Amino acid sequence: IIYAAMSLRRVRVPEGLHRTHSVLANCLPDDDSLPCVVPAERAGGRTAARLLLDQGHRRIALVGGQQDIASVERLRGFRDALRAEGVDLPKDWIVRTGGEISSGYEGAARVLDGVPAELRPTGIFCYNDRVAAGTLHCAARLGITVPGELSVVGYDDQEHMAAHLSPPLTTVALPHREMGEAAARLLLDAIDTGRTPPATVRRVACPLIGRGSVGPAPAA
């Protein structure tokens, strides 16, 4: 059995899964009893930060998310990359507003609206692509050009959305297909050998999808 979740979280493992070969996908067992395949969320956060840093951004904010596993891990990776470059992340530039378009609009407004250009972020890493859509909407309402004055990075590479925003969204993709393939390989190997794989966590890389919402940091 491959037991999969729609969003990354800890799950109580149904008892029946222990009576046959089973692998979890996109979720973690609350008792660490089964192997699982999940996105490398912390590394994905580092990837997003690294992209902005490489474009010269040093005033970078994070918008969206709450205290779920993905939010926490993406922030950790984001901090890792900024810390490595000696870049400060002000506390009020971590804006936890949720995961919807309205959350992105609200969060972006907190760090952009009424703030002089020389004091506001030049890059925003968004919890997901819906939050990024709200951030783009807020920037447009405030007359802030993307990517000329503000670069925006999303997360998920949400189908039918990310590529169709204006500008098309640069984002970190969730590796849904790769997670499914990895889980299936673990399960097929277990069936072939008759041995359940060890209860380890396999993390699958989240690739960067470059589009049009990220550019060089504006000149001071």
Side-chain angles (χ1 to χ4, degrees):
I1 297 173
I2 296 177
Y3 186 85
M6 287 293 290
S7 59
L8 180 60
R9 61 183 184 273
R10 285 203 170 271
V11 296
R12 177 174 295 178
V13 178
E15 183 53 40
L17 267 63
H18 294 115
R19 295 197 290 269
T20 186
H21 296 303
S22 301
V23 177
L24 273 56
N26 204 34
C27 53
L28 297 151
D30 61 2
D31 58 0
D32 298 321
S33 62
L34 290 173
C36 58
V37 180
V38 299
E41 299 281 16
R42 186 169 184 172
R46 282 196 296 269
T47 295
R50 186 73 261 164
L51 172 66
L52 292 169
L53 291 166
D54 287 348
Q55 288 291 325
H57 296 274
R58 293 298 180 270
R59 302 199 307 273
I60 307 172
L62 184 145
V63 168
Q66 294 290 353
Q67 292 303 313
D68 57 284
I69 295 172
S71 293
V72 170
E73 288 297 295
R74 291 171 193 178
L75 175 58
R76 283 178 179 168
F78 186 68
R79 285 185 184 278
D80 290 344
L82 267 58
R83 192 178 299 115
E85 290 293 321
V87 174
D88 182 46
L89 179 59
K91 186 176 180 180
D92 57 357
W93 282 7
I94 303 172
V95 187
R96 290 303 200 193
T97 49
E100 300 305 320
I101 293 173
S102 58
S103 308
Y105 189 99
E106 176 192 344
R110 289 192 201 176
V111 296
L112 299 175
D113 196 3
V115 181
E118 66 273 12
L119 298 178
R120 70 188 181 217
T122 63
I124 295 180
F125 171 38
C126 298
Y127 167 68
N128 63 21
D129 293 348
R130 294 189 300 278
V131 169
T135 296
L136 291 175
H137 181 44
C138 179
R141 185 183 72 80
L142 296 173
I144 299 170
T145 61
V146 178
E149 297 173 275
L150 176 71
S151 288
V152 178
V153 183
Y155 209 110
D156 291 355
D157 195 29
Q158 188 169 339
E159 192 176 12
H160 309 308
M161 184 180 194
H164 305 288
L165 293 171
S166 181
L169 184 64
T170 293
T171 186
V172 180
L174 282 175
H176 293 117
R177 182 185 182 94
E178 292 80 4
M179 282 193 291
E181 289 176 347
R185 281 195 298 270
L186 282 172
L187 191 61
L188 291 171
D189 288 347
I191 293 169
D192 286 344
T193 63
R195 295 191 301 272
T196 298
T200 55
V201 179
R202 179 172 300 190
R203 302 186 190 277
V204 181
C206 300
L208 179 69
I209 310 297
R211 295 194 177 98
S213 64
V214 173

